[in-house]
Amino acid sequence: KNSLEQEPGRIYLITDGLRSKYTKANYRLAFTRFLRDGAKTIDLRVLLDYKPKVIEEMVIGYIMNLRDKGKAHKTIQLHVAAMLHFFVTLNDIPLNKKKITRFIPPDESSHRDRPYTTDEVKAILESCPDERTKVIVELMASTAVRIGAISGLRICDLTPVYVAGHDLYKISLAVLPHELRMKDESLT
């Protein structure tokens, strides 16, 4: 083969580089729908051979289609994140992210998150079947930590805080994944 001729590069799949099983499942579903309804092909090689401007127009057209179907802001945001992950992050297609994201409709949802009231937390705690569940509920209610972060807590994340007559601990929630942090016993 001529040295100027190149083999087609590897195509990275939508779930490559993702850690969370939930993100993988959501991105896979969103991208499959894009392939079906937006790109109108399942052949990734053909799709990646299009010029970036053509792909950009496909993506924007798909976003407009989702808007026309009345899909929620967060749903469209998820689909866009999946498409950008596949094209830009994984397969180095230079798309104009700023332009694409401008087509995501504004968030017009009427519900807003709010903290639980003290009475609501008490009611939840009373319904907990065991001490472990109570500790998890108390931790979440008092720190706003997400449920996914709790399973990653380790003994090394606890630092004793000395207050006379009390056994208190400060919890450090690290940004780094545990495989890059100090190894220690698990909190289970």
Side-chain angles (χ1 to χ4, degrees):
K1 243 182 179 183
N2 183 337
S3 63
L4 296 175
E5 291 180 37
Q6 242 181 338
E7 290 283 325
R10 175 174 181 220
I11 297 175
Y12 291 95
L13 303 178
I14 189 66
T15 55
D16 289 345
L18 298 174
R19 292 189 181 133
S20 164
K21 67 181 178 182
Y22 302 107
T23 304
K24 285 180 181 183
N26 286 324
Y27 275 29
R28 187 181 301 113
L29 180 62
F31 193 68
T32 300
R33 288 184 178 161
F34 165 72
L35 292 175
R36 182 189 68 205
D37 301 337
K40 310 263 193 253
T41 183
I42 59 168
D43 188 333
L44 299 179
R45 174 62 57 206
V46 168
L47 184 61
L48 291 173
D49 283 342
Y50 285 118
K51 291 184 189 272
K53 289 286 182 202
V54 172
I55 295 172
E56 212 168 84
E57 290 306 314
M58 252 185 241
V59 169
I60 290 169
Y62 181 65
I63 295 169
M64 300 299 286
N65 182 281
L66 292 173
R67 286 175 70 166
D68 293 346
K69 288 181 179 178
K71 297 295 181 187
H73 168 82
K74 291 286 185 190
T75 301
I76 296 174
Q77 216 172 25
L78 169 72
H79 283 251
V80 170
M83 291 182 286
L84 291 176
H85 174 72
F86 176 77
F87 289 115
V88 178
T89 306
L90 295 178
N91 292 294
D92 301 323
I93 304 296
L95 301 181
N96 186 337
K97 289 190 214 179
K98 192 171 185 176
K99 178 181 176 183
I100 290 169
T101 56
R102 286 191 178 174
F103 286 89
I104 299 173
D107 187 1
E108 295 175 356
S109 59
S110 59
H111 78 84
R112 296 287 175 226
D113 289 340
R114 63 170 180 77
Y116 288 110
T117 65
T118 304
D119 290 336
E120 289 171 328
V121 172
K122 284 179 184 175
I124 294 169
L125 288 170
E126 288 171 8
S127 70
C128 289
D130 54 41
E131 287 302 311
R132 180 180 179 273
T133 306
K134 284 182 181 180
V135 169
I136 291 171
V137 169
E138 287 182 15
L139 179 63
M140 291 177 66
S142 63
T143 64
V145 67
R146 292 182 179 203
I147 190 74
I150 291 175
S151 64
L153 288 175
R154 304 285 182 257
I155 294 294
C156 64
D157 297 325
L158 300 175
T159 307
V161 177
Y162 299 101
V163 176
H166 299 285
D167 291 326
L168 299 175
Y169 291 88
K170 177 178 87 173
I171 299 171
S172 301
L173 300 174
V175 177
L176 292 175
H178 275 285
E179 57 270 13
L180 300 177
R181 294 169 48 203
M182 221 178 3
K183 301 276 188 230
D184 207 337
E185 294 180 50
S186 177
L187 277 178
T188 51

